[in-house]
Amino acid sequence: MAVERLLKDEATEEKGDRARMASFVGAMAIADLVKTTLGPKGMDKILQSTGRGHNVTVTNDGATILKSLHIDNPAAKVLIGYRLAAECARNALLQKAKDNKQDPDKFKSDLMKIAMTTLSSKILSQDKEQFAKLAVDAVLRLKGSTNLESIHIIKKAGGSLKDSFLDEGFILDKKIGIGQPKHIKNAKILVANTAMDTDKVKIYGARVRVDSMAKVAEIEGVEKEKMREKVQKIIAHGVNCFVNRQLIYNFPEELFADAGILAIEHADFEGIERLALVTGGEIASTFDNPESVKLGHCKLIEEIMIGEDKLIHFSGVEMGQACTIVLRGASSHVLDEAERSLHDALCVLSQTVNDSRVLLGGGWPEMAMAKEVDDLARKTPGKKSHAIEAFSRAVRAIPTIIADNAGLDNAELISQLRAEHHNDTTNAGLDIISGGVGDMERLGISESFKVKQAVLLSATEAAEMILRVDEIITCAPRKRENRIPSPSSVNLPCLLPIGIEAMASSRRHFLLCLSFLLTVSGDSSESDRVLDLPGQPPSPRISHFSGYLTVNRENGRALFYWFFEAQTLPSDRPLLLWLNGGPGCSSIGYGAAVELGPLRVKRHGTGLEFNKYAWNKEANLLFLESPVGVGFSYTNTSSDLTKLDDGFVAEDAYSFLVNWLRRFPQYQSHDFYIAGESYAGHYVPQLAELLYDRNKDTKNYPYINFKGFIVGNPETDEFYDSKGLLEYAWSHTVVSDQVYRLANRVCDFKLFNWTDECNDAMEMVFNQYKEIDIYNVYAPKCTLPQSSSSSSFDEDDAKKSLMRRIRRYAGYDPCFSTYAEEYFNRVDVQRSLHANVNGRWRVCKVNDAILYCYSDSILRTYNFTVFSVLPIYSKLIKAGLRIWIYSGDTDGRVPVIGSRYCVEALLLPLKSQWQPWFHNHQVGGRSVEYRGLTMVTVRGAGHLVPLNKPQEALVLINSYLRNQQLPTHK
């Protein structure tokens, strides 16, 4: 019987010597890269990111270098995390190690020597004695603990590295407010995370009917009294310092000042967690039971100056081992590398305190171990001796490399060291300063036994693993042509169709290959990297990824994404998720390719052009095609499309986000925001609420660093949106007085389902928009054949369900819809994006026939179950999330009038008046800031603000992400 081949044609297989050689080459490449950084004369590496920003890091820290690499070689992947590749004998280390733990003076001297040895090859080498003392003093304060959280490092630009110092206390990078006490002895500290944001009530925007101003004063007085009661509860704890993670506004701040209490606001969460730890307190959020709240204590709180900055100093804290190391330096690059160097020293020292055994350095332990291994090789008969001799040569490679890096004659020096080490009591090692062999004990060059042992064991395990490799199998690229396969046509990348005779024995091969596939390639972000996208301009370079993530395995439901890394400093920029509305319209076809992505579709879909106002100038941009059935997203269970509603969409989006962060773990700690427009005015707040609720249950859900959301021309509340649509059409002369009065008379927009009379009246309103663009009433109408997004329902469609409200897409210019559909239906584009589609890809799923299980419009089948998301706004505003709403003021579909009604209905206190904001010496729009929410208009923009006003939109997102007010001066 013929042997069936299990691997597909595009899969590769290497066996025997070729596989071993590939492993060796990978190991040697990593070793060659890192070895030049070793020793006091080791060189720095300039690391340049592959992203468009070309972020540059200058370092000789091995962990930083290896972490920054993209490795394809299988053996090289095994070596990530290891700095050395060598074999040694652990017994030699044990025999040579010394332990001075019982003599505090000698042990501290050992720690100083280890710290200075660690810092000798770092940026701090010129001041290594000073920083070694800082590190030793900080670690000894831990009293044997390896938890470095108690050592706080603050970086302040200015001065020189010599100005760095250690402070025996805790320094909080905040200022003391005006009128607050600057000096508090025997402080009792209440650390809290609570809302203190009702300093006074502003009546602007609220609807209050009173017969005198005295009644207004009564309302304001009641609100103030509530805040006064809360402040009194806090004061009742007997504290003289109140530290809050959230803002403290004027009125409570005044009450605290009158009570002689220092109130510190807006301390970051890491800051208050560490402050609670070192002062012995706990973070509180309720204050009804003072006996259940644990206060923090310290002997003195005072304001100090570091450079030009004011900070708050807590001394005599309850956790005596806490301290702060303040680093000074000329630039952020110097400070970052200094922090990395100091962190290395702190890690080594904390491990040495835990295991106090010490070795000499300068290549002394390697030469001592090589001597022991050589002795063993001479005693061992047969071929084993050759392997043992090879181990000895590998161990001696370390001092050889150190000598090479210093520009010394390594052959001469290593020969001298071998001769010296025939004396068992020798302390000989490399003296790089003098360029010869020296006494390591006299020179004070020492290393930690625990760290050296860990390096040796890791190197041994890595070498053994590489030597065991005799075959390397590389799976074929994942194929996605059959997006909705039938059960009989399941196509796994590792498998070929197997003959009838072999089917009985193929199951174990199938399971083995499937397991290998999921392990090797299932969670790799690199497999989703987009290369050679047709029509993409050659410059500037853009780093982007696209592909599928499964959100429901049982139903075979997967959502498609397109991700663009930030143009500069992607590792420092926030992550922004963008959603489009409809329901049923693609964020790839609109958000990414038409509005705010870095690659815009050219006219007639002929290619792409660079968008110089792309939002990935400010953030890492993630576009998601949601809900399932939109664009390239798909399901293998057609009944999913009949279950779509806001809750279903939010759950899928949350599952996608969790899985995406697992595929891109480097973004898990980034600040995360959500943005969108149109019906995403429903999607975004409901996903935000889900994130907020599940972040409070970290036992069952992963924590996502969610900070807030921003929505444009959002559908928010059915009553206010419909009322605003009608009033906008009348006020902008789209409809006659008679139609306006008729619709006002027969329509009760508070009803979820309209009457037949109301449907007829509103159909008359929509008919008036046929000759102009409802999404930008002052823009020329597109004269191209309309795409799917502009199709509308006839009267029967509108009345398909009894008393149903007319549903029309909340968005989108038909010309750009046509261009996007022409481009994304190209086979070469879909292949490059790792996407596939059955039938024709649509910007929006509409009522024209669509193949397979998508035979109906998502808009038709969508279950509209949420009348208003305003209650969610109220909840998330109280939670302290950053929330902005923006509106293009020429949009007739979700007009600014309706959005203003919605914001007014929230009854938020006013923080700043309605005022113009400026861009390029011109009015960009208007803005108004409430407590917890900012509303912005964009002058001259329609429904697609980033398309109509790209420069103003970039200013808008920049201000939002930086939490800054829009420019209010020309």
Side-chain angles (χ1 to χ4, degrees):
M1 181 180 68
V3 177
E4 297 290 341
R5 184 172 180 266
L6 293 179
L7 296 179
K8 291 185 68 176
D9 290 337
E10 296 179 49
T12 62
E13 182 180 20
E14 294 180 353
K15 294 185 177 182
D17 291 341
R18 288 179 60 86
R20 278 189 287 273
M21 183 57 68
S23 300
F24 297 159
V25 168
M28 292 163 63
I30 293 295
D32 288 342
L33 177 68
V34 177
K35 71 181 183 182
T36 56
T37 67
L38 300 181
K41 301 293 184 180
M43 304 299 289
D44 288 351
K45 301 288 185 184
I46 298 178
L47 307 178
Q48 187 175 46
S49 71
T50 58
R52 294 199 54 224
H54 309 310
N55 184 29
V56 173
T57 302
V58 181
T59 184
N60 77 340
D61 181 64
T64 302
I65 294 169
L66 293 174
K67 185 171 61 177
S68 304
L69 299 180
H70 167 58
I71 304 298
D72 284 325
N73 183 277
K77 287 182 178 178
V78 173
L79 287 178
I80 289 298
Y82 303 140
R83 296 195 59 177
L84 307 172
E87 176 63 47
C88 67
R90 183 171 177 268
N91 288 335
L93 280 183
L94 292 169
Q95 293 169 6
K96 300 291 183 179
K98 294 181 180 179
D99 191 346
N100 292 319
K101 187 66 174 286
Q102 302 306 316
D103 188 330
D105 292 336
K106 287 186 177 180
F107 183 54
K108 186 172 182 179
S109 176
D110 287 341
L111 293 178
M112 282 291 295
K113 293 174 183 177
I114 291 172
M116 287 191 290
T117 302
T118 303
L119 296 172
S120 291
S121 63
K122 309 290 184 181
I123 193 174
L124 303 177
S125 59
Q126 298 301 315
D127 305 298
K128 64 181 178 182
E129 188 170 351
Q130 175 190 352
F131 283 96
K133 188 175 186 306
L134 291 182
V136 170
D137 289 346
V139 168
L140 287 178
R141 293 176 65 87
L142 298 179
K143 300 176 182 178
S145 170
T146 57
N147 180 14
L148 297 181
E149 286 295 316
S150 299
I151 302 175
H152 185 35
I153 299 178
I154 291 179
K155 297 178 289 185
K156 285 292 177 183
S160 67
L161 288 171
K162 290 183 178 180
D163 298 326
S164 303
F165 63 92
L166 181 142
D167 186 272
E168 296 181 355
F170 180 80
I171 298 176
L172 185 64
D173 197 357
K174 301 296 294 184
K175 297 178 182 178
I176 294 178
I178 299 174
Q180 302 282 338
K182 309 288 185 183
H183 191 90
I184 297 179
K185 292 183 177 180
N186 299 319
K188 296 180 180 178
I189 306 165
L190 176 56
V191 184
N193 182 11
T194 188
M196 305 292 293
D197 57 355
T198 55
D199 83 295
K200 54 168 86 166
V201 174
K202 302 290 194 306
I203 302 304
Y204 307 106
R207 294 173 181 169
V208 180
R209 293 184 179 180
V210 294
D211 52 14
S212 69
M213 288 303 297
K215 294 297 178 78
V216 177
E218 288 181 19
I219 296 172
E220 188 175 30
V222 171
E223 295 298 326
K224 281 190 172 182
E225 197 58 36
K226 290 180 182 179
M227 178 51 66
R228 189 189 305 274
E229 290 175 4
K230 187 172 187 178
V231 172
Q232 291 302 324
K233 288 180 181 180
I234 294 173
I235 295 174
H237 287 70
V239 300
N240 50 15
C241 178
F242 176 66
V243 183
N244 192 29
R245 183 194 178 195
Q246 301 181 43
L247 292 175
I248 302 175
Y249 290 127
N250 300 345
F251 181 60
E253 188 177 48
E254 178 184 338
L255 295 177
F256 284 126
D258 292 343
I261 295 175
L262 169 60
I264 303 170
E265 66 171 357
H266 216 218
D268 63 274
F269 195 70
E270 181 182 348
I272 67 168
E273 277 200 325
R274 184 171 277 140
L275 179 62
L277 172 71
V278 301
T279 60
E282 293 180 353
I283 300 174
S285 56
T286 59
F287 313 101
D288 294 325
N289 301 304
E291 65 279 0
S292 65
V293 176
K294 188 176 180 181
L295 302 179
H297 298 83
C298 73
K299 293 181 180 179
L300 178 65
I301 302 176
E302 58 185 341
E303 189 172 68
I304 62 173
M305 290 282 293
I306 298 179
E308 299 178 355
D309 297 331
K310 293 181 179 179
L311 300 94
I312 304 175
H313 181 239
F314 298 76
S315 57
V317 295
E318 188 163 298
M319 181 180 280
Q321 60 263 42
C323 63
T324 301
I325 297 176
V326 180
L327 295 178
R328 306 300 308 281
S331 67
S332 60
H333 288 90
V334 171
L335 288 172
D336 289 343
E337 182 66 3
E339 183 184 25
R340 285 191 287 266
S341 303
L342 187 61
H343 182 265
D344 282 355
L346 291 172
C347 290
V348 172
L349 291 175
S350 64
Q351 295 300 319
T352 306
V353 170
N354 188 258
D355 185 340
S356 55
R357 288 173 289 182
V358 177
L359 298 165
L360 297 178
W364 174 85
E366 285 80 13
M367 296 306 298
M369 288 184 291
K371 175 182 176 297
E372 296 293 332
V373 173
D374 282 337
D375 291 343
L376 178 62
R378 285 192 292 269
K379 300 174 185 177
T380 304
K383 294 181 179 179
K384 291 182 180 179
S385 63
H386 296 296
I388 297 174
E389 289 174 355
F391 295 158
S392 175
R393 291 194 298 272
V395 171
R396 283 195 298 271
I398 303 305
T400 302
I401 291 169
I402 293 175
D404 277 342
N405 290 345
L408 303 176
D409 186 345
N410 68 72
E412 176 67 24
L413 291 177
I414 298 304
S415 297
Q416 292 181 32
L417 282 178
R418 292 186 71 177
E420 289 284 348
H421 276 268
H422 278 288
N423 178 3
D424 289 337
T425 61
T426 185
N427 295 328
L430 293 174
D431 182 358
I432 299 302
I433 305 302
S434 67
V437 173
D439 187 328
M440 298 296 100
E441 183 72 37
R442 182 178 59 81
L443 293 173
I445 300 175
S446 299
E447 296 186 55
S448 167
F449 167 81
K450 187 173 183 180
V451 173
K452 179 65 72 175
Q453 176 183 246
V455 170
L456 295 171
L457 294 177
S458 298
T460 301
E461 292 170 0
E464 288 181 356
M465 187 175 296
I466 292 171
L467 290 171
R468 290 176 182 272
V469 173
D470 69 345
E471 185 172 4
I472 297 174
I473 299 174
T474 304
C475 280
R478 290 179 290 172
K479 294 296 183 182
R480 300 185 173 112
E481 286 81 8
N482 296 318
R483 191 175 72 179
I484 310 179
S486 64
S488 61
S489 62
V490 175
N491 186 19
L492 285 171
C494 287
L495 296 179
L496 282 175
I498 299 176
I500 298 298
E501 304 89 345
M503 286 299 290
S505 61
S506 66
R507 186 172 65 175
R508 281 183 296 175
H509 297 286
F510 173 86
L511 294 175
L512 178 62
C513 184
L514 178 60
S515 174
F516 179 74
L517 174 66
L518 293 175
T519 302
V520 174
S521 62
D523 293 325
S524 170
S525 60
E526 280 303 314
S527 63
D528 285 351
R529 183 179 289 277
V530 178
L531 303 170
D532 302 320
L533 183 62
Q536 178 177 334
S539 64
R541 290 194 305 164
I542 297 173
S543 175
H544 52 134
F545 304 77
S546 64
Y548 290 96
L549 279 168
T550 300
V551 295
N552 186 297
R553 292 191 180 279
E554 183 179 351
N555 288 9
R557 198 158 68 242
L559 299 183
F560 186 81
Y561 77 91
W562 197 1
F563 171 60
F564 297 88
E565 289 189 317
Q567 296 180 25
T568 59
L569 302 173
S571 61
D572 297 333
R573 302 283 188 184
L575 175 64
L576 180 66
L577 172 67
W578 175 270
L579 300 172
N580 277 90
C585 292
S586 165
S587 67
I588 304 298
Y590 282 109
V594 170
E595 298 183 74
L596 54 124
L599 296 173
R600 276 187 173 175
V601 175
K602 290 183 178 180
R603 290 177 61 85
H604 305 295
T606 56
L608 300 169
E609 60 188 2
F610 180 67
N611 175 16
K612 62 181 179 179
Y613 303 112
W615 285 14
N616 73 328
K617 282 190 172 184
E618 302 297 332
N620 298 284
L621 279 182
L622 176 59
F623 297 93
L624 173 64
E625 288 197 310
S626 175
V628 64
V630 172
F632 294 121
S633 296
Y634 70 90
T635 178
N636 290 339
T637 307
S638 58
S639 61
D640 282 345
L641 299 176
T642 66
K643 301 174 183 177
L644 294 180
D645 60 20
D646 288 0
F648 186 102
V649 173
E651 286 287 351
D652 270 7
Y654 178 83
S655 298
F656 164 84
L657 188 59
V658 170
N659 291 334
W660 190 90
L661 288 171
R662 288 173 181 159
R663 184 170 291 187
F664 292 83
Q666 64 268 36
Y667 291 99
Q668 289 177 356
S669 62
H670 286 224
D671 288 352
F672 173 65
Y673 299 91
I674 315 174
E677 64 190 12
S678 306
Y679 196 77
H682 273 235
Y683 295 157
V684 171
Q686 292 182 79
L687 175 57
E689 182 183 35
L690 199 60
L691 282 165
Y692 171 72
D693 289 341
R694 291 184 177 173
N695 272 350
K696 295 187 290 186
D697 184 11
T698 54
K699 291 183 178 179
N700 297 310
Y701 299 99
Y703 181 81
I704 296 174
N705 195 21
F706 178 52
K707 298 296 184 181
F709 65 85
I710 177 171
V711 285
N713 292 85
E715 288 202 33
T716 306
D717 179 279
E718 294 283 6
F719 170 63
Y720 293 118
D721 290 337
S722 300
K723 181 180 178 182
L725 186 151
L726 178 60
E727 290 185 7
Y728 189 91
W730 175 71
S731 63
H732 287 70
T733 66
V734 175
V735 299
S736 66
D737 294 346
Q738 292 77 13
V739 171
Y740 174 67
R741 285 196 292 266
L742 172 64
N744 263 325
R745 186 177 72 251
V746 300
C747 287
D748 182 357
F749 294 130
K750 293 181 180 179
L751 297 176
F752 197 82
N753 293 312
W754 294 346
T755 63
D756 288 343
E757 292 80 3
C758 181
N759 274 321
D760 292 339
M762 292 304 293
E763 186 68 24
M764 294 171 66
V765 174
F766 283 117
N767 283 338
Q768 297 306 309
Y769 278 110
K770 287 184 176 180
E771 300 304 322
I772 62 174
D773 187 352
I774 190 174
Y775 305 114
N776 193 335
V777 297
Y778 297 128
K781 186 174 175 63
C782 179
T783 57
L784 293 176
Q786 290 186 339
S787 73
S788 61
S789 64
S790 60
S791 300
S792 60
F793 297 119
D794 58 26
E795 188 173 347
D796 291 336
D797 290 326
K799 301 177 182 177
K800 182 177 67 173
S801 298
L802 180 63
M803 311 287 281
R804 184 170 179 176
R805 177 186 295 260
I806 293 178
R807 297 286 178 184
R808 292 182 183 272
Y809 281 108
Y812 318 131
D813 169 54
C815 285
F816 282 97
S817 304
T818 302
Y819 304 154
E821 289 189 357
E822 289 175 352
Y823 181 76
F824 288 108
N825 274 296
R826 290 171 52 176
V827 175
D828 55 346
V829 171
Q830 294 178 6
R831 184 183 299 115
S832 181
L833 290 175
H834 318 122
N836 48 84
V837 64
N838 290 294
R840 182 172 175 80
W841 181 87
R842 302 283 183 176
V843 171
C844 296
K845 296 291 184 183
V846 295
N847 59 331
D848 40 350
I850 296 176
L851 298 180
Y852 257 7
C853 58
Y854 311 125
S855 59
D856 205 350
S857 161
I858 287 181
L859 185 64
R860 283 189 177 189
T861 59
Y862 198 88
N863 300 296
F864 295 92
T865 57
V866 177
F867 189 86
S868 173
V869 293
L870 288 179
I872 297 177
Y873 274 82
S874 297
K875 173 181 177 180
L876 298 183
I877 288 171
K878 290 179 181 178
L881 294 177
R882 189 184 311 161
I883 301 174
W884 284 30
I885 294 175
Y886 66 89
S887 286
D889 61 11
T890 65
D891 176 26
R893 179 58 189 88
V894 188
V896 65
I897 295 176
S899 296
R900 293 182 70 176
Y901 279 141
C902 291
V903 172
E904 287 180 0
L906 292 170
L907 302 177
L908 299 172
L910 194 67
K911 188 175 178 182
S912 68
Q913 296 285 352
W914 184 267
Q915 60 185 330
W917 62 273
F918 294 88
H919 176 65
N920 285 344
H921 309 292
Q922 298 292 328
V923 173
R926 303 293 194 278
S927 68
V928 58
E929 188 175 0
Y930 298 88
R931 298 294 189 194
L933 183 143
T934 297
M935 181 175 180
V936 180
T937 70
V938 182
R939 186 166 69 101
H943 197 75
L944 283 68
V945 171
L947 172 64
N948 302 144
K949 293 289 181 177
Q951 296 183 50
E952 288 83 349
L954 185 60
V955 172
L956 172 68
I957 195 62
N958 174 283
S959 298
Y960 170 76
L961 293 174
R962 296 174 186 267
N963 198 20
Q964 296 174 348
Q965 191 179 41
L966 285 159
T968 55
H969 301 285
K970 293 184 180 179

